[in-house]
Amino acid sequence: MTRPETELLTALYVLYANECVFWLKPGERAYTRDGAGSWKLWQIGAHSFTLRARAAAVSSPLLWRAAFLRRAAEAPDADSRALTRTARRLDGMSTLTWFCRLQAIVLLLYGPAIVLLHQMERLWPLLAGIILLNHAVLLAFLSRELRRYVPGRVLPALAPVLLNPVGALRSLDVLTPLVFARLESQRRRRTLEDGAPIH
């Protein structure tokens, strides 16, 4: 493998690893989903490994159940019912999930295979076309979901992944806090209408 090929593959995997890892400040909590769909709590404990007082939380690198929810230090613990309903909503976005996985296969498996087989010069137009087409379709589905949760503010929410095909693989991480916030606000509204105290 030539040096430019090595640097290209290294940059690609480092960029993707960076998209999967979130750094928590002291007091913050985060929730991610495992392969079985259960929510995992991440927080800094007495014996946690930290880097400059921050701990890493990893969100589903294999994209089986991508989801990431950060809670500020002053925010209450996430309600388990809201988490369950959020998981259900995310599971319902199966088309978006599969386009994320397809893009991951093209970017992280098919592209590197072409590089390793020294076929990039011959096949790069095909590879670039597949990536751009899939990225456009993925953004269309992501925009549709964003319109449900942040109507009128789709472009700012879409900006982090608009020109970033690697970041677009993590679209469900972008959607998770929006879905959770909507469901939690609906629960609070219903609670206020019923006259019961909010915990």
Side-chain angles (χ1 to χ4, degrees):
M1 219 169 31
T2 65
R3 182 175 175 180
E5 290 173 340
T6 304
E7 290 174 350
L8 174 65
L9 293 184
T10 302
L12 180 64
Y13 287 114
V14 167
L15 280 172
Y16 182 67
N18 183 60
E19 296 289 344
C20 297
V21 177
F22 298 85
W23 294 94
L24 304 179
K25 299 175 186 174
E28 283 186 331
R29 299 176 305 286
Y31 299 85
T32 61
R33 297 178 72 199
D34 58 24
S38 302
W39 287 95
K40 177 180 179 179
L41 172 64
W42 299 80
Q43 58 187 353
I44 300 177
H47 302 290
S48 299
F49 171 78
T50 59
L51 188 62
R52 299 186 69 182
R54 300 196 177 207
V58 182
S59 173
S60 189
L62 298 179
L63 294 173
W64 293 121
R65 293 282 192 277
F68 179 78
L69 176 66
R70 185 191 303 270
R71 302 292 281 172
E74 64 276 6
D77 288 336
D79 180 66
S80 60
R81 284 175 296 180
L83 285 174
T84 302
R85 293 178 64 202
T86 300
R88 220 175 285 134
R89 291 280 177 95
L90 294 173
D91 289 341
M93 301 175 190
S94 56
T95 306
L96 176 61
T97 302
W98 279 108
F99 273 106
C100 290
R101 291 172 183 168
L102 177 61
Q103 187 82 321
I105 289 168
V106 174
L107 274 173
L108 303 176
L109 296 177
Y110 181 62
I114 289 174
V115 171
L116 291 171
L117 295 171
H118 305 290
Q119 298 296 316
M120 183 59 87
E121 187 175 343
R122 188 166 65 88
L123 295 176
W124 77 263
L126 175 64
L127 178 65
I130 293 171
I131 290 172
L132 290 174
L133 178 62
N134 193 72
H135 187 60
V137 174
L138 195 157
L139 289 177
F141 280 100
L142 178 57
S143 298
R144 185 186 70 176
E145 295 298 339
L146 286 171
R147 274 194 289 276
R148 294 180 182 176
Y149 297 101
V150 283
R153 292 182 292 141
V154 172
L155 195 56
L158 198 62
V161 298
L162 191 59
L163 299 175
N164 183 2
V166 177
L169 303 179
R170 312 300 309 180
S171 293
L172 292 181
D173 290 339
V174 174
L175 283 165
T176 304
L178 303 175
V179 175
F180 181 83
R182 167 68 65 84
L183 294 172
E184 194 174 44
S185 68
Q186 288 174 352
R187 181 184 67 85
R188 286 176 177 273
R189 198 181 313 120
R190 282 196 302 269
T191 304
L192 288 171
E193 288 170 357
D194 294 342
I198 299 174
H199 300 289

